Amino acid sequence: MKRPGFISRHSPAVLQVFIWTLLAVVPIFSIMLYSTDPLEGVVSWVIMIGSWMSMFYINYYLLIPRVLFRKAVGRFIGANVVCAMALMVIVHIVGYIFFDKKGSLSDDLHLGPEMLMALSVYLTFFLFIVLAAISIRSMQRSAQLEKERNRAEREQSDMELARLKNQLNPHFLFNSLNNISSLAAIDPESAQEAIATLSSMLRYVLYDTAAALVPLSAEARFVHDYVKLMSMRYTGSLKLDFISDFPEDAGALVPPMLFISLIENAFKYGASSTHPSEISIDVREDRESCTLTMRIVNTLLVPGVSAPMEKVRPEKRGVGLVNLRRRLEILFPDRHMLACGACGAGLYEAVISIPLAYATTD
């Protein structure tokens, strides 16, 4: 990811420098052109700008974050009144020192009509400065809070995804070992081959699935190995039709172990070693919409007749589908499709569709 430029990273500071420079420099040209005493006019304006900046940054760095944001509104107003009065006195004293050494300072500070008018003008400008500081500081605070909230949500999502994946891995291993255990009793040679296949699959599960996205080619190989492993047990009774159209694009990426729950359910609830059964797995890529769709149709076994009583419909039991739905909601909100249910003629259908990501190279 390209690092933001200097202006992007320091936009509030750059904006403030620009505004203060504009306020300080532009009126100076008018003063120098039209004032009878340009030097006095420029110095007076610089003193005024200094008082505004002092008021702004006293609020920006001190009063707003430490008083106003802590709900001490009364203290905030009182502190600003004191600061405004103090700055006005300082400005008047500085002006007296620079431009009016003949008069008396006490006479200049006397609250006559001119002084009251000057006070009202000062207070109006100071009020504007305080409101500007509150607006800028509040926007920055809102942006920071939003950034922290988004980070907290991402961390929460990452933690939940990790929990779901941790639940999935033992679930997959348990089903695979059960299948190998059953296979060992009837075909020891096939069981040894299944153990070698499982070893390769476990290497993928343990070392490659820690990343958020994995190459689709690796996930496709894992799916093929799992289908091969599970089908060894049902050599005579199961009709397996696996149409694989996994795209071979080198840059295609998917979340790891996203399809395995549906394939597990197809074998667990749709394959029988004693009754005719069938499983059809069809994988298609839509290159126009950059989506990958897997459609699985399997025999809907009847508990107590063509399957043991514990083989109930998959949506009624287990954590596989529940975890899959939650992972999809986190990974692809409003950009995925998952549909499961009976599709007539004693069959059960599950369809999942996800968007494909592609690795970019700089």
Side-chain angles (χ1 to χ4, degrees):
M1 183 179 294
K2 186 178 180 180
R3 186 182 180 186
F6 177 84
I7 294 179
S8 299
R9 288 183 283 117
H10 301 89
S11 55
V14 172
L15 179 62
Q16 291 173 39
V17 170
F18 174 77
I19 292 175
W20 287 122
T21 303
L22 200 64
L23 286 173
V25 173
V26 172
I28 288 178
F29 290 104
S30 177
I31 293 171
M32 295 180 69
L33 288 174
Y34 300 107
S35 176
T36 56
D37 189 348
L39 178 60
E40 180 178 345
V42 170
V43 173
S44 297
W45 185 249
V46 170
I47 293 172
M48 187 65 66
I49 288 293
S51 68
W52 292 354
M53 293 179 66
S54 300
M55 192 68 176
F56 180 88
Y57 288 110
I58 287 172
N59 277 274
Y60 186 83
Y61 286 112
L62 182 63
L63 297 181
I64 295 174
R66 297 189 181 185
V67 181
L68 183 62
F69 285 168
R70 295 180 181 179
K71 310 300 182 183
V73 179
R75 289 174 56 193
F76 176 76
I77 295 174
N80 270 287
V81 171
V82 172
C83 287
M85 298 302 294
L87 285 171
M88 285 189 291
V89 171
I90 292 172
V91 167
H92 200 77
I93 293 174
V94 172
Y96 172 79
I97 293 172
F98 272 92
F99 309 116
D100 193 16
K101 293 188 176 182
K102 297 178 181 179
S104 170
L105 180 60
S106 60
D107 291 339
D108 289 343
L109 293 177
H110 180 69
L111 292 178
E114 293 183 0
M115 179 60 73
L116 290 175
M117 179 62 70
L119 283 174
S120 64
V121 173
Y122 276 124
L123 289 175
T124 301
F125 275 100
F126 280 148
L127 178 61
F128 174 78
I129 292 295
V130 171
L131 292 176
I134 292 174
S135 299
I136 295 174
R137 197 64 164 167
S138 297
M139 287 189 294
Q140 291 179 344
R141 186 193 190 203
S142 298
Q144 182 64 28
L145 290 175
E146 182 67 21
K147 184 178 179 180
E148 292 176 358
R149 182 162 51 249
N150 291 338
R151 184 173 65 248
E153 290 177 356
R154 287 195 301 269
E155 290 175 354
Q156 180 66 28
S157 297
D158 291 343
M159 290 174 61
E160 186 167 0
L161 281 174
R163 179 181 63 82
L164 293 174
K165 287 170 64 176
N166 289 337
Q167 286 182 344
L168 177 63
N169 292 348
H171 190 257
F172 145 76
L173 181 59
F174 175 77
N175 287 342
S176 300
L177 290 176
N178 266 350
N179 188 63
I180 293 176
S181 176
S182 301
L183 188 63
I186 58 176
D187 192 346
E189 291 186 4
S190 295
Q192 291 182 356
E193 182 182 350
I195 290 173
T197 302
L198 179 60
S199 175
S200 174
M201 294 169 66
L202 285 177
R203 192 176 300 110
Y204 171 76
V205 171
L206 293 176
Y207 299 110
D208 298 338
T209 63
L213 295 173
V214 297
L216 181 57
S217 57
E219 185 71 9
R221 186 164 55 251
F222 175 78
V223 169
H224 278 284
D225 286 344
Y226 185 81
V227 171
K228 176 184 176 182
L229 175 63
M230 298 300 291
S231 61
M232 289 179 178
R233 180 180 174 185
Y234 307 100
T235 55
S237 58
L238 175 64
K239 178 185 176 183
L240 177 63
D241 187 13
F242 189 8
I243 304 173
S244 175
D245 185 31
F246 280 104
E248 297 181 356
D249 303 301
L253 303 172
V254 292
M257 299 186 69
L258 200 62
F259 308 103
I260 197 65
S261 294
L262 295 181
I263 299 175
E264 279 183 329
N265 284 339
F267 279 96
K268 184 175 181 180
Y269 301 105
S272 173
S273 57
T274 57
H275 291 76
S277 54
E278 62 180 278
I279 296 176
S280 172
I281 303 173
D282 191 353
V283 182
R284 302 287 177 182
E285 178 195 15
D286 188 337
R287 296 184 180 272
E288 292 185 2
S289 60
C290 294
T291 58
L292 186 69
T293 301
M294 175 180 284
R295 180 175 180 264
I296 304 175
V297 178
N298 58 267
T299 306
L300 187 60
L301 300 178
V302 180
V305 178
S306 56
M309 289 299 295
E310 63 270 14
K311 282 201 172 187
V312 297
R313 290 172 61 183
E315 69 268 21
K316 299 293 186 180
R317 196 171 181 177
V319 298
L321 273 181
V322 175
N323 283 2
L324 176 59
R325 291 186 190 279
R326 185 57 186 148
R327 286 186 72 193
L328 289 172
E329 289 171 1
I330 296 174
L331 294 167
F332 309 112
D334 302 321
R335 295 188 297 122
H336 70 276
M337 188 270 288
L338 177 62
C340 304
C343 59
L347 298 176
Y348 186 88
E349 181 183 52
V351 182
I352 180 174
S353 181
I354 62 169
L356 286 174
Y358 294 91
T360 57
T361 57
D362 296 331

